[in-house]
Amino acid sequence: MFSIFKERSKDSGSYARTGTLLLNGVQIETPIFMPVGTRGSIKSLSSSDIDELGYNLILANTYHLYLKPGKEVLDHFHGLKNFMSYKRALLTDSGGFQVFSLASLFKFEEDGVRFQSHIDGSHHKFTPASVIDMQRSIGSDIMMVLDDCAPYGSDLKRLELALDRTHRWAKESYEYWMERPNGQNVFPIVQGGVNESLRKRSLDTLQNINFPGIAIGGLSVGEPRPEYIRILECMAPYFDQARPRYLMGVGTVVDILEGVKNGVDMFDCVLPTRNARNGQVFTSFGKLNLRNEVHRLADGPIDPECGCKVCTTYSLGYIRHLHKVKELTAFSLSTYHNLYFMQSFMERMRKAIEIGNFKGFYDHWKNLFGS
C-alpha cells in the first residue's frame, strides 16, 4: 500500500475525521477544500495570493490544459507548478467530467474517448494511458483516472456500462502508472449514480486495487440533496480507513458538512470563486449579495468577524461599488475573501472534530447556510 495519509482523530457520533495528507514533502491537514485553477490559474488571483491564503493543495484540469497551453509547453516548463510559480501540491482531474459536461462533443470507444475541442473543433482522443501521460507532463501530485460519469437519471443499463468502463480503465491506469510512479499518485473514481448497490460494488472493486486514495464522482451533478446524502451514507461504513477520500466537484457549505459527516477528507469546487465574481460572498452570518442596494452606504467590512485583508481594509459599500461598475478589482477582492472564508471554515471544522464538537459545528453552519 502506498501510504500518503495518516488519520489523526475521529468524531464519536459520525464518520467525520481529521488527518494529514503528505504529498512530496507538502503536508496538508484534512478535511480540506481545494480551490479550482482550471487552466493553471485561480481566476482573478495570483499564485502569491494562493500562498498568502495558505492553500497547500489546489486543483487544475487535464482537459483544458491539454488543449491550451498543451503538452509541449508544459514539458518545456517542467510542469504546471513551475509554469505558474506555485510551489505546493497539485491535483488534476482526468478530463472525465468534461466528457459528462460537454457530452455532445465526445464519443465513447472501447479503449477511450474521442472528442472535439470546444475551442476550435479539432479532433482528439483520450485513453487511460494518454491522460496519465498528460498528467505526468502537468506534474500533478495526485492524478485522476479516466472514467465514465453517467448523467443523473440514467437507467440501470447506462449505469452498468459506466461502471464497466470506469473499472476497466481504472485497472489499466493503475498498471500504466505503476510502470513509472515518479513520485505521483493516482486515485480511481467511484461511480454508480444514486444506485446504492452499484456504489458499493464500485467502491469494493476499486478499493481492492492498491491505489493510494479513492475519489467519489458522479455526485452533485443534479441529484436532489436527499439523494446525495443517501449515497454518501451508504458508502461511509465501507471506506478504507488507511486511504484519503476525495469527493469531486463539491463545494457548498452544506454539502461539505454532509461529506465530512460521512468520512470524506477532500473537496473541490468552482462555486466559491464563481459566486465571488457574481457578487455573492460567504460570511460568518450566511451568504451575502454584494450588489444589493441596502449595502450602498455600508461603511463596515463584508464580515466583521473575518480577518482577511479585504475585510480589514475595504468597506462593504466600496466593494459593492466595484461590482456595480464592473471593475476587475471586484473579482479579485471578492474571490480572495471567499477563499479566506473557505480556508477558515475548514480549519474550524478540523478543530471541532478534534475537540469532540463536530455535531455542534455541523448544526450551527447547516442552520446558517441550509436551503
Side-chain angles (χ1 to χ4, degrees), residues 4 21 23 34 36 57-63 65 90-99 126-149 165-166 169-177 181 184-191 199 206 211-218 244-250 264 266-268:
I4 61 171
L21 186 63
L23 299 172
M34 297 174 282
V36 178
L57 180 60
I58 65 173
L59 181 140
N61 184 270
T62 298
Y63 166 83
L65 292 171
L90 179 67
L91 181 150
T92 42
D93 189 3
S94 65
F97 184 75
Q98 279 64 48
V99 177
F126 277 168
T127 67
S130 74
V131 298
I132 294 291
D133 281 338
M134 184 61 205
Q135 290 174 95
R136 283 171 171 159
S137 293
I138 294 169
S140 323
D141 297 282
I142 298 177
M143 307 184 282
M144 307 306 297
V145 302
L146 186 64
D147 68 325
D148 178 3
C149 176
R165 281 196 187 111
T166 294
W169 290 350
K171 290 171 186 172
E172 291 176 24
S173 300
Y174 178 81
E175 290 167 3
Y176 188 69
W177 165 63
Q184 294 175 288
N185 301 280
V186 178
F187 287 14
I189 303 172
V190 175
Q191 292 290 353
R199 283 286 177 177
L206 295 174
F211 285 103
I214 196 88
I216 303 118
R245 307 113 182 203
Y246 162 38
L247 181 53
M248 305 178 73
V250 167
V264 176
M266 304 163 63
F267 303 85
D268 82 280

Side-chain angles (χ1 to χ4, degrees), residues 9 41 71 75 95 118 174 179 289:
S9 65
S41 169
K71 193 173 187 298
D75 284 338
H118 72 286
Y174 178 81
E179 293 174 10
N289 187 338

Side-chain angles (χ1 to χ4, degrees), residues 193-333:
V194 292
N195 183 301
E196 293 185 23
S197 175
L198 295 185
R199 283 286 177 177
K200 290 175 185 175
R201 186 203 307 173
S202 187
L203 182 63
D204 181 61
T205 299
L206 295 174
Q207 286 189 156
N208 278 325
I209 307 173
N210 193 21
F211 285 103
I214 196 88
I216 303 118
L219 288 177
S220 197
V221 293
E223 77 282 356
R225 183 164 282 135
E227 296 281 88
Y228 164 85
I229 295 171
R230 178 173 60 82
I231 293 304
L232 287 176
E233 288 176 345
C234 90
M235 290 188 290
Y238 303 100
F239 285 132
D240 176 11
Q241 298 303 304
R243 286 184 264 199
R245 307 113 182 203
Y246 162 38
L247 181 53
M248 305 178 73
V250 167
T252 71
V253 165
V254 174
D255 286 346
I256 289 175
L257 288 169
E258 298 295 349
V260 170
K261 182 180 178 181
N262 287 287
V264 176
D265 305 299
M266 304 163 63
F267 303 85
D268 82 280
C269 193
V270 298
L271 186 137
T273 49
R274 179 182 289 163
N275 283 21
R277 297 193 305 276
N278 290 321
Q280 186 187 80
V281 288
F282 308 144
T283 74
S284 59
F285 47 86
K287 290 176 277 192
L288 185 149
N289 187 338
L290 294 170
R291 295 174 180 168
N292 284 350
E293 177 71 12
V294 70
H295 304 311
R296 186 169 66 90
L297 301 179
D299 53 9
I302 290 173
D303 183 354
E305 295 184 22
C306 178
C308 81
K309 68 180 182 182
V310 179
C311 287
T312 57
T313 307
Y314 302 102
S315 70
L316 171 53
Y318 175 65
I319 296 172
R320 175 192 179 272
H321 160 70
L322 296 178
H323 275 279
K324 294 298 285 185
V325 298
K326 298 181 169 55
E327 278 289 343
L328 296 181
T329 317
F331 297 162
S332 58
L333 294 180

